[in-house]
Amino acid sequence: MMNAAARLGGRYAAPAAATGAILALSISPEIAHAKEAKADVNAVKKSIAELIEDDAERRGDGTSLTGTFVRLAWHCAGTYSKVDGSGGSNGARMRFNPEANWGANAGLDVPRKALEAVKEKHPEISYADLYTLAGVVAVEEAGGPKVPFRLGREDADSGETSPKECGLPDADKGSSQNTRSHIRDVFYRMGFNDREIVALLGAHALGRCHTDRSGYWGPWTFAENTFSNEYFRLLIEERWSPKLSHNGKPWEGPDQFEDSTGKLMMLPSDMALVQDPAFRKIVELYARDEDAFLKDFASAFSKLLELGVDFPSVKPWYKFW
């Protein structure tokens, strides 16, 4: 984002002494100070996009890092609590215990390792910015909306400041009512309303579940690398029934739902969106109005990725003296 002096142009340019001013930042001792060199966001985004494309070509099976990068960004930020300000995307604490070993983060070592190549190429970007930016790039490269993003997250040097408990949403709490209550409890704790909740869960348009990570199996849509409102359309229009078998054998995984083909799945938390009257109205809106969904998602996802980050306020140059 251009600063005020750059937008106003040379005629109103600040004196050299003012433009060279450095603001002192007060940062928690657990957080490492940012490097002086500022990352080139567009260059980093290009490197992430190339990584996604190259990885997809190597796989050659229609899967990609797209959904995994969104999950990584989501889980970095989704620990936030507005009650005490703990958690959030600042710190990239998922690199350390306890977050690295949380069951909810199973398999996220894969995208973190993949992003090491980008970090090596752009050492000036923090891991916290890199992990969240990867989610933004994944959404945009999949045809989703442009997501507002700014740098400024710092890296922690340990997991000491991680929340004591995971705090990420579970897929099932044993009953529809309990699951709906759980969804609201988790998202309200972060400061989201019902419309933002449904918009954020629309990220399930991307990616799939893996039995060796979450225990669940399958993609939510037939276009798992395309960001659209298809997830909501399927929730409303498809007939979903409990999954009983898999590859000709009894299903032994956790409770989930499948479509008439047996190739798509929904989690109990997904079905909660159509079982709850207030949530369902929003699902129906997004199913018929993709533009509304894309707009709301961009706003809610940007908000999510900034949770727990104390971005420094930079004064306009004309207020430095």
Side-chain angles (χ1 to χ4, degrees):
M1 183 179 295
M2 295 179 66
N3 61 32
R7 289 197 301 269
L8 289 173
R11 188 162 67 92
Y12 296 100
T19 56
I22 298 177
L23 297 179
L25 306 181
S26 176
I27 301 175
S28 170
E30 290 83 4
I31 302 295
H33 289 283
K35 295 182 179 180
E36 290 184 3
K38 188 173 182 180
D40 182 336
V41 175
N42 290 330
V44 179
K45 290 178 73 172
K46 184 175 183 293
S47 294
I48 295 172
E50 290 173 349
L51 173 62
I52 294 173
E53 182 178 355
D54 292 345
D55 177 79
E57 289 181 358
R58 282 195 298 270
R59 296 186 186 201
D61 59 1
T63 66
S64 75
L65 285 166
T66 302
T68 312
F69 278 167
V70 173
R71 180 171 171 245
L72 174 65
W74 215 114
H75 284 217
C76 282
T79 58
Y80 180 72
S81 172
K82 66 179 183 180
V83 177
D84 58 9
S86 63
S89 66
N90 212 32
R93 286 172 277 255
M94 194 190 294
R95 294 169 296 145
F96 312 108
N97 290 329
E99 293 186 40
N101 283 332
W102 285 347
N105 291 334
L108 289 180
D109 59 313
V110 174
R112 294 199 305 272
K113 289 177 181 177
L115 287 168
E116 283 298 324
V118 179
K119 176 66 172 174
E120 183 177 351
K121 188 175 182 180
H122 305 278
E124 66 277 6
I125 191 169
S126 68
Y127 279 106
D129 278 336
L130 178 60
Y131 292 169
T132 47
L133 183 58
V136 170
V137 174
V139 168
E140 295 178 353
E141 289 296 309
K146 295 294 182 183
V147 178
F149 183 87
R150 53 179 170 166
L151 299 171
R153 297 162 189 80
E154 300 285 343
D155 288 335
D157 54 16
S158 74
E160 292 181 4
T161 55
S162 289
K164 296 185 182 302
E165 298 182 358
C166 176
L168 291 164
D170 292 328
D172 188 9
K173 282 299 184 181
S175 71
S176 176
Q177 183 57 55
N178 287 346
T179 301
R180 283 180 269 166
S181 296
H182 171 69
I183 291 171
R184 285 195 168 93
D185 287 345
V186 170
F187 282 88
Y188 286 0
R189 185 203 71 220
M190 290 187 277
F192 292 108
N193 59 37
D194 282 3
R195 183 156 174 154
E196 291 171 320
I197 292 172
V198 178
L200 286 171
L201 291 178
H204 282 171
L206 298 175
R208 61 171 56 217
C209 286
H210 302 265
T211 55
D212 61 341
R213 299 175 190 178
S214 64
Y216 297 98
W217 177 88
W220 287 268
T221 77
F222 285 114
E224 62 184 271
N225 297 315
T226 301
F227 197 89
S228 71
N229 67 339
E230 184 69 357
Y231 165 76
F232 297 111
R233 187 190 68 77
L234 289 169
L235 266 176
I236 294 295
E237 298 180 6
E238 186 58 70
R239 181 179 66 83
W240 299 96
S241 57
K243 184 176 181 63
L244 302 177
S245 63
H246 185 67
N247 293 333
K249 298 179 180 179
W251 172 246
E252 297 180 350
D255 291 344
Q256 67 175 73
F257 296 82
E258 63 182 10
D259 72 334
S260 56
T261 70
K263 296 179 180 180
L264 299 181
M265 72 99 203
M266 290 288 171
L267 303 171
S269 55
D270 297 311
M271 298 307 299
L273 298 185
V274 291
Q275 294 163 346
D276 182 272
F279 283 152
R280 186 182 180 95
K281 289 180 181 179
I282 306 167
V283 171
E284 291 173 344
L285 167 64
Y286 291 157
R288 66 175 182 268
D289 189 343
E290 185 174 62
D291 287 343
F293 164 56
L294 297 181
K295 178 182 178 181
D296 288 353
F297 179 85
S299 175
F301 196 50
S302 179
K303 175 180 174 179
L304 170 69
L305 300 185
E306 294 197 350
L307 295 179
V309 185
D310 185 17
F311 291 101
S313 58
V314 180
K315 293 182 179 180
W317 61 264
Y318 53 82
K319 292 186 179 179
F320 280 173
W321 55 82

